[in-house]
Amino acid sequence: MAKKAHLLGFIQHGVNSHATGMWRHPKDKVGWNYARPEYWQHMARTMERGLFDAMFIADELAPYNTHANSSDPIVKYAVQFPTHEPSTIAPIITSATTHLGVGVTLSTAFEHPYSMCRRLSSLDHLSNGRIAWNIVSSYSKSEWEAYGAEMTDRGHRYERLDEYMELCYKLWNSWELDAIIADKESGVYADPSKVHEVVHEGTFFRSRGRHFVAPSPQGQPVLWQAGSSDRGRDFAAKHAEAIFAVLPTVARMRQYSDDLNTRVSERFNRPHGSVRLIYGVQTVVAETREEAQAKYERILACIPPEGALAWMSGHFGLDFSTFDLDDLIQDIEVPGIQGLFESILYARDGAPVTIRDAAIIYAQGMGMPVLVGTPADIADRLEEFMDDGGADGFMLIATYTPGCFEEFVDLVVPELQRRGRYRTEYPGTMLRENLLND
Ligand SMILES: Cc1cc2nc3c(=O)[nH]c(=O)nc-3n(C[C@H](O)[C@H](O)[C@H](O)COP(=O)(O)O)c2cc1C
């Protein structure tokens, strides 16, 4: 049986998502205000009409300021700016839908596991089991400066993250499922012997208390991760139920899929396939190739070069304003998001890429493969990514909203369904069920 695709919409709670300059596209948010519920409700209903697993909300905690030590170009060109808090829209999305999940990016850097678990359990209740947590630990210096803390290195962040998860699991598993009695006659609501106190004395965290929220429909949110360094992949293979990676070519996808699957089964003894591999793609679809190409060029024309460089500086933790734009990306090492840097390192199958070109490649869609064409062209490539690259599904980057998702749902989804490569109804109501089943 040919694998069926999973789909998610990749978005940010702000005026711009990940295609730099998207806000200025003539079709972006026409008649919609990104800061209002109606916009999110409409986008959620669109994704649910397309039987997507979830809307996936990225986040960072403060505007980037790596480029020339300033956030001016980030502010000036709306580079992932302004960005509102991501979990606030989860109930708006899930109350407008019945099946669509929400993946929320929440950083562990400045929040104690106790309140993180409480928040996520509450959201899982309110959505009737449709929440995923994209676990991040804040890679950008601007985030640490905004919180007045000293930035720690990657190794330290992953060590702390492991203990963070240990405490989260203790909290989520601390209630026995029959703890609530709710006997009005006797007045006993819950059996204290079944709501266990968690006592944690670790290297990074201490906690003593009962989880404040009754077990939620999924027990714990679906755990999602996008780390891609060696430590990051181990973390994903150990904890995640789904990963999000950006791999620019089929060959890179295959390598990543094989590597992660091997870590999952051999290093962490989990059943093969227990982590869904979701890869980013940028699609520009139209009835004809010419029309699609023209649409693609219109999207490219929105990119401000200085904003693009500032975005790369933010994601990769290097000040690209100090480089010659003709320097080659291949000669540079970055402290920031390794996995995304590789998307430009291998954008041309490993052939040299200048910083100038890399900025544009990156700014249009975070280094994701760009598929421009008819619904059949796009379905062909997605099939290839699944069959040869090992992808289980796709994170669709926003190019202008809500239009890009409407077009994908109206044009590409039916094509995938006709080919038997996409569901025709949701297999379940909770996010984990939909993610694990076709
Ligand atoms: C595709 C992708 C998407 C990511 N999205 C976010 C995000 O929204 N917020 C964030 O703080 N980090 C994000 N990250 C960063 C990772 O979660 C991770 O913290 C970072 O890559 C550093 O870990 P690594 O060195 O193992 O890659 C993303 C990374 C990738 C590869």
Side-chain angles (χ1 to χ4, degrees):
M1 273 271 281
K3 200 189 251 184
K4 288 191 173 138
H6 290 261
L7 295 174
L8 293 99
F10 185 45
I11 200 87
Q12 194 147 16
H13 187 186
V15 72
N16 209 82
S17 288
H18 301 82
T20 313
M22 161 184 141
W23 66 273
R24 65 198 283 229
H25 191 286
K27 287 188 176 172
D28 190 64
K29 296 180 192 68
V30 179
W32 298 106
N33 177 346
Y34 76 90
R36 300 290 308 152
E38 298 77 20
Y39 166 71
W40 294 102
Q41 287 158 345
H42 174 77
M43 201 129 67
R45 290 186 188 114
T46 303
M47 290 185 193
E48 183 160 90
R49 185 160 64 78
L51 305 171
F52 285 25
D53 283 354
M55 188 185 304
F56 193 90
I57 309 163
D59 193 44
E60 75 275 351
L61 298 174
Y64 302 114
N65 61 6
T66 320
H67 198 72
N69 231 357
S70 162
S71 50
D72 281 0
I74 299 292
V75 171
K76 187 170 174 186
Y77 298 111
V79 180
Q80 291 191 279
F81 174 92
T83 297
H84 297 196
E85 203 282 334
S87 69
T88 46
I89 48 173
I92 290 169
I93 293 164
T94 55
S95 57
T97 51
T98 52
H99 291 75
L100 185 79
V102 184
V104 192
T105 300
L106 293 170
S107 174
T108 56
F110 312 106
E111 180 161 2
H112 193 281
Y114 187 82
S115 60
M116 180 67 83
C117 286
R118 185 184 186 207
R119 179 140 56 118
L120 285 162
S121 294
S122 305
L123 291 172
D124 201 50
H125 273 292
L126 287 170
S127 64
N128 198 17
R130 290 188 277 145
I131 294 296
W133 174 26
N134 180 29
I135 307 163
V136 301
S137 55
S138 293
Y139 61 86
S140 162
K141 85 175 173 74
S142 58
E143 302 178 286
W144 294 79
E145 285 173 9
Y147 282 77
E150 197 65 38
M151 186 167 181
T152 55
D153 65 28
R154 180 184 281 124
H156 181 273
R157 291 204 300 275
Y158 275 117
E159 227 172 280
R160 181 178 173 279
L161 204 50
D162 257 323
E163 191 187 318
Y164 200 103
M165 296 312 297
E166 193 188 318
L167 178 48
C168 287
Y169 297 135
K170 284 183 188 169
L171 287 161
W172 281 321
N173 294 320
S174 61
W175 284 58
E176 292 181 36
L177 291 178
D178 57 354
I180 294 179
I181 298 157
D183 180 18
K184 289 195 179 188
E185 191 79 19
S186 65
V188 175
Y189 184 73
D191 178 349
S193 72
K194 295 185 174 179
V195 181
H196 302 283
E197 187 174 69
V198 169
V199 181
H200 182 89
E201 294 280 344
T203 312
F204 301 99
F205 302 103
R206 296 171 65 194
S207 180
R208 182 189 182 91
R210 286 177 157 128
H211 187 33
F212 217 178
V213 184
S216 70
Q218 293 188 114
Q220 61 186 48
V222 170
L223 300 180
W224 214 291
Q225 222 261 339
S228 39
S229 61
D230 187 54
R231 284 294 294 268
R233 289 182 190 205
D234 268 353
F235 181 87
K238 182 174 172 189
H239 297 282
E241 296 168 85
I243 62 95
F244 171 25
V246 171
L247 291 320
T249 62
V250 180
R252 299 293 301 171
M253 286 180 196
R254 184 75 265 163
Q255 274 177 19
Y256 186 98
S257 305
D258 290 346
D259 179 64
L260 207 87
N261 285 331
T262 307
R263 287 175 200 248
V264 166
S265 45
E266 290 178 12
R267 207 171 282 181
F268 296 101
N269 241 339
R270 297 174 65 193
H272 184 79
S274 46
V275 180
R276 288 287 192 210
L277 306 180
I278 307 297
Y279 296 155
V281 290
Q282 178 172 14
T283 63
V284 184
V285 65
E287 301 283 1
T288 67
R289 284 182 186 163
E290 296 66 38
E291 212 187 317
Q293 186 60 31
K295 277 171 86 170
Y296 176 52
E297 279 158 26
R298 189 66 196 82
I299 291 167
L300 286 182
C302 293
I303 300 175
E306 192 195 352
L309 275 172
W311 196 40
M312 280 216 312
S313 299
H315 274 199
F316 303 138
L318 262 195
D319 180 1
F320 282 102
S321 75
T322 63
F323 285 72
D324 182 334
L325 295 187
D326 291 318
D327 284 354
L328 298 181
I329 280 291
Q330 275 76 6
D331 298 333
I332 297 170
E333 277 191 26
V334 298
I337 309 179
Q338 200 54 46
L340 292 176
F341 192 64
E342 287 184 15
S343 73
I344 45 177
L345 275 182
Y346 295 95
R348 293 184 182 147
D349 267 331
V353 180
T354 61
I355 293 177
R356 190 191 318 279
D357 288 352
I360 300 301
I361 294 172
Y362 197 69
Q364 65 177 298
M366 234 167 76
M368 296 182 186
V370 184
L371 317 184
V372 181
T374 64
D377 293 335
I378 288 171
D380 286 347
R381 298 295 306 284
L382 297 181
E383 286 198 61
E384 187 192 352
F385 295 166
M386 287 191 277
D387 298 341
D388 302 336
D392 294 315
F394 304 101
M395 190 72 79
L396 306 174
I397 200 170
T399 49
Y400 46 85
T401 54
C404 70
F405 294 117
E406 292 166 345
E407 290 163 14
F408 192 94
V409 167
D410 291 335
L411 296 171
V412 186
V413 162
E415 180 63 27
L416 288 169
Q417 286 170 329
R418 255 193 300 280
R419 298 176 182 207
R421 304 303 300 260
Y422 194 61
R423 60 173 58 127
T424 50
E425 60 184 3
Y426 280 108
T429 53
M430 294 195 211
L431 177 55
R432 188 170 285 113
E433 294 171 276
N434 289 326
L435 188 67
L436 292 179
N437 298 290
D438 288 338

